[in-house]
Amino acid sequence: MLRIVVLIFYFYVVISNEMTFADDDLLFVLAMMSLLMPGMAIGLYYMRAESGGNNSLLQLAGKAKEASAEELAEFKQKYLVARESLYAAGMFFWLSLVLVIAKERYLVSSNNLDYQLTLAVMIPAMCLSVYEDVLQLVLKIKAGMRTSLPIEYDLWLSWFNFSILGTLVVMHVFPYYDSAVGFAIFSAVVLASILYATGAYISRYRKAREIGEKA
């Protein structure tokens, strides 16, 4: 849910400030990256030896309700490989975007340009987050929504989305020319880290306590 909120708010911030940007192709870059990233991730997945075998990831998900321990272990292994392939594709596009920004005309600093560059480097992370959600949703539908699968969200990516949301809030509230923007963004990232770490600790503590009570 957090990742969908971040994506929607990102569109809102970009569209509401598009007229003041030095270049207005952020949404085009987002669209192109959202089309290219899954293709590269699929290619990287099938290059891994773990993607082979008699059963595909979707087939294993369909058998999860009555799967043996070995089949669940194989499913988890394939899922982790698929997620790692998606992460590798996201990192490739993030580095490519940074290199393009550094090489081309984005060398003259100005407040509105700094805002635009900050928004640009968020694009691969948001695409990566959405596709991870899509992957998990497809697997859950294939297995049955009530069937438990040995998969979970990556904590660092969830924290990153939480930090992006805080940064977007600051960018929406503060005008371009405000000298306190940099400190406000840094404070938002730190605050997001503290809040997310606290929430993750409480959630894990509750789960451990529930397991202890059942035992």
Side-chain angles (χ1 to χ4, degrees):
M1 185 64 182
L2 171 64
R3 304 177 183 202
I4 303 300
V5 172
V6 170
L7 183 62
I8 294 174
F9 195 52
Y10 180 86
F11 275 108
Y12 174 74
V13 171
V14 171
I15 292 173
S16 61
N17 295 287
E18 193 172 12
M19 296 302 295
T20 58
F21 286 156
D23 196 356
D24 59 355
D25 58 355
L26 275 178
L27 295 181
F28 173 76
V29 174
L30 180 61
M32 290 300 298
M33 199 162 292
S34 65
L35 293 174
L36 295 174
M37 187 179 293
M40 183 174 184
I42 291 172
L44 291 173
Y45 173 73
Y46 283 108
M47 289 174 65
R48 298 282 296 269
E50 294 88 345
S51 64
N54 297 326
N55 296 311
S56 67
L57 182 60
L58 287 177
Q59 288 174 329
L60 289 170
K63 301 176 181 178
K65 191 173 183 178
E66 301 175 352
S68 63
E70 292 182 357
E71 288 175 330
L72 287 176
E74 184 182 0
F75 169 82
K76 186 174 182 179
Q77 176 78 8
K78 287 182 180 290
Y79 170 75
L80 290 176
V81 170
R83 191 171 70 175
E84 288 173 5
S85 301
L86 187 58
Y87 285 6
M91 183 61 68
F92 171 82
F93 283 108
W94 185 81
L95 290 173
S96 299
L97 188 59
V98 169
L99 290 174
V100 169
I101 290 172
K103 183 180 179 181
E104 296 299 331
R105 58 191 179 279
Y106 301 107
L107 298 177
V108 180
S109 178
S110 65
N111 287 331
N112 61 337
L113 189 54
D114 291 340
Y115 261 49
Q116 187 177 2
L117 298 182
T118 303
L119 288 170
V121 296
M122 295 178 182
I123 292 175
M126 289 191 302
C127 290
L128 178 59
S129 300
V130 171
Y131 280 122
E132 187 182 20
D133 279 342
V134 171
L135 175 61
Q136 292 198 7
L137 180 60
V138 170
L139 294 175
K140 288 290 290 183
I141 293 174
K142 184 67 176 181
M145 297 304 293
R146 295 184 179 181
T147 302
S148 178
L149 293 174
I151 57 178
E152 58 184 15
Y153 287 112
D154 200 313
L155 290 179
W156 79 266
L157 193 57
S158 298
W159 162 79
F160 198 64
N161 276 273
F162 203 53
S163 300
I164 287 177
L165 182 60
T167 303
L168 289 173
V169 170
V170 171
M171 295 176 71
H172 179 64
V173 172
F174 283 77
Y176 290 131
Y177 51 81
D178 197 318
S179 59
V181 169
F183 178 75
I185 290 177
F186 175 78
S187 301
V189 172
V190 173
L191 180 61
S193 302
I194 294 173
L195 292 176
Y196 188 79
T198 303
Y201 175 79
I202 292 174
S203 177
R204 289 192 172 187
Y205 175 78
R206 286 180 177 177
K207 288 181 179 179
R209 189 173 180 180
E210 290 176 358
I211 293 173
E213 290 176 353
K214 290 179 180 179

